[in-house]
Amino acid sequence: MAALEEQLQTAARIVGESSYLIALVGAGMSKESGIPTFRGGDGLWDKHGEPPMDGYQRLLEDPESWWAQRKAAQQAAKGDELTHAIEEAQPNAGHVALAEMERRGVLKHIITQNIDNLHQEAGSTAITEIHGNRTKMRCIECMRRWTRDEFNADGSPSLNREGPPLCPDCGGLVKGDTVMFGEPIPRDALDSCFDHSQRADAVLLLGTSAVVYPAAEFPVIVYRNGGKLIEVNPQDTPLSELCSAVLRAPSGEILPALLEAVAASADS
Ligand code: APR
């Protein structure tokens, strides 16, 4: 049997035997939707270097000018590569397979590092977005979130006032939900990730280079608790050696095959 097919059967058995399967998703999951990755040789950071790590500190120091710059930048970014790719992106077969795994009760939760909203658009609902969601706004104090439509439609003067918007509940500063470099991971998202990792007995590592923390820690928690790791990635990662199955293939191709293999083994 070909190595990939053998690994697929092993992965299907692990998934079939699991009672609390979660997924840790990275940028590779959305590569087949046309969104570039950050690393892996042809990623955005490979090409342009990592952005400055003090974006969040600059926002806190001067929210007024940050918001003014953001509006100007949004105008300018309309045509840039990443913004355009994300706005045009549609869920790929990998996102659809995960949504079906959730519907069948096989996949209990998705922890995604992606901000592209593609899991929701594919039909998944059990999701924690550790780096936020580009379509939402968030109060940095009480973590209240709004969709962009709610945010713009909301009549609350503190949201639609001139200058930086303030939360109508607590008066905190409101910003995009996407977690900025230098910004702490929102407490509610972090607690959810640790909770699901503690409960998991198996984790799908999907398209992540597993070099950014705390996200890369969650699979190690599962492993330390005796759980099994399955990696879907054309390349090696620092967590590959902890995996019980390694599927060296694009997620958009292999996840539908995994879904089928799990169904076949359940019927046999
Ligand atoms: N299917 C699966 N994996 C893929 C595919 C694909 N079609 N194409 C590329 N990959 C893999 C690459 O081999 C790489 O290991 O996806 C991984 C993408 O790694 P990164 O670009 O580092 O993405 P991610 O792990 O999500 O980065 C974590 O870093 O800069 C921050 O906020 C950013 O959320 C991001 C975080």
Side-chain angles (χ1 to χ4, degrees):
M1 186 188 289
L4 182 60
E5 182 54 33
E6 203 171 309
Q7 292 294 313
L8 184 68
Q9 292 310 321
T10 303
R13 181 175 44 73
I14 293 167
V15 169
E17 290 169 354
S18 69
S19 55
Y20 205 90
L21 174 73
I22 65 173
L24 174 67
V25 173
M29 183 80 194
S30 298
K31 178 90 174 282
E32 291 148 276
S33 295
I35 300 178
T37 59
F38 300 98
R39 302 171 187 85
D42 58 348
L44 289 171
W45 301 164
D46 299 317
K47 286 183 206 163
H48 310 301
E50 297 225 1
M53 288 295 170
D54 65 349
Y56 187 60
Q57 279 64 38
R58 282 189 286 114
L59 162 66
L60 297 182
E61 278 155 22
D62 183 352
E64 194 97 21
S65 66
W66 186 86
W67 267 97
Q69 282 164 27
R70 172 189 164 94
K71 285 178 185 146
Q74 274 174 329
Q75 289 311 321
K78 282 223 178 304
D80 90 353
E81 175 196 355
L82 179 58
T83 307
H84 187 70
I86 289 186
E87 279 169 357
E88 295 299 306
Q90 296 298 316
N92 63 56
H95 295 102
V96 173
L98 287 192
E100 182 57 19
M101 280 188 196
E102 176 187 312
R103 197 187 64 76
R104 295 182 189 180
V106 171
L107 178 65
K108 303 299 183 196
H109 202 84
I110 293 172
I111 296 170
T112 186
Q113 302 168 87
N114 301 340
I115 61 169
D116 55 33
N117 202 51
L118 291 182
H119 289 297
Q120 288 89 334
E121 290 174 29
S124 294
T125 58
I127 305 167
T128 298
E129 296 169 300
I130 189 170
H131 293 156
N133 182 313
R134 61 177 292 276
T135 68
K136 294 181 185 167
M137 309 299 283
R138 170 170 41 89
C139 168
I140 64 171
E141 301 300 339
C142 71
M143 307 291 157
R144 179 179 164 182
R145 291 174 177 82
W146 297 260
T147 65
R148 287 202 189 282
D149 293 346
E150 287 161 352
F151 181 76
N152 294 324
D154 188 302
S156 153
S158 56
L159 284 183
N160 299 327
R161 66 203 272 276
E162 272 311 303
L166 301 178
C167 175
D169 294 349
C170 74
L173 182 63
V174 175
K175 64 176 281 288
D177 185 38
T178 299
V179 175
M180 298 164 67
F181 278 95
E183 180 178 2
I185 303 288
R187 183 80 257 158
D188 56 351
L190 201 54
D191 290 347
S192 170
C193 291
F194 279 112
D195 172 49
H196 289 291
S197 301
Q198 286 296 355
R199 296 166 67 184
D201 59 355
V203 54
L204 295 168
L205 287 167
L206 306 175
T208 181
S209 57
V211 295
V212 172
Y213 284 80
E217 184 185 349
F218 304 135
V220 177
I221 292 171
V222 178
Y223 181 79
R224 284 210 187 105
N225 289 343
K228 302 268 190 226
L229 276 54
I230 297 166
E231 183 169 72
V232 175
N233 191 325
Q235 295 180 15
D236 260 2
T237 74
L239 296 183
S240 299
E241 62 195 10
L242 302 184
C243 294
S244 300
V246 171
L247 306 177
R248 287 279 170 263
S251 46
E253 281 174 33
I254 202 75
L255 285 176
L258 178 59
L259 179 66
E260 223 174 279
V262 171
S265 62
D267 296 345
S268 57

